[in-house]
Amino acid sequence: MVEAVEYLGADNMIDCRIGTERLTARLPHHFKITPGETIRLTWAPGAAHLFNALTEERLEEASRLLARSAGPPRDETRELSAPPASAAQGPR
């Protein structure tokens, strides 16, 4: 479930809760998400960045191993659909 959304111009930072775990995802601004909403996120394993929950330091080796185990890049699958190109550009 989405707990908070921080709008940063080109991107949105989405704070989610999955059971007792917290996840922060960066999504393009055109995904309109609100707190309290339940969403489904998917990503390429190599795109994940892992951090120590206590120190907040990035786990470099774990992130590298995860990226390596993912194999060659695959086509990206999105559960959330982007708006049509004409809507994304706005009025002219």
Side-chain angles (χ1 to χ4, degrees):
M1 179 186 308
V2 176
E3 293 189 332
V5 178
E6 183 178 1
Y7 302 100
L8 301 174
D11 296 317
N12 295 333
M13 298 301 285
I14 311 298
D15 289 331
C16 301
R17 177 88 37 202
I18 302 169
T20 60
E21 300 298 321
R22 190 177 126 223
L23 171 80
T24 300
R26 183 178 71 188
L27 301 176
H29 75 280
H30 59 264
F31 290 113
K32 303 301 181 204
I33 297 172
T34 58
E37 187 174 352
T38 299
I39 61 174
R40 182 175 177 184
L41 297 171
T42 61
W43 59 87
H49 298 277
L50 306 177
F51 296 85
N52 180 307
L54 297 176
T55 66
E56 297 184 358
E57 291 179 1
R58 184 161 188 251
L59 301 173
E60 297 291 338
E61 185 61 22
S63 295
R64 234 185 334 273
L65 289 172
L66 183 60
R68 209 175 355 194
S69 70
R74 297 177 295 205
D75 290 338
E76 185 176 331
T77 302
R78 294 182 189 258
E79 292 293 330
L80 303 170
S81 57
S86 59
Q89 295 175 4
R92 293 181 183 213

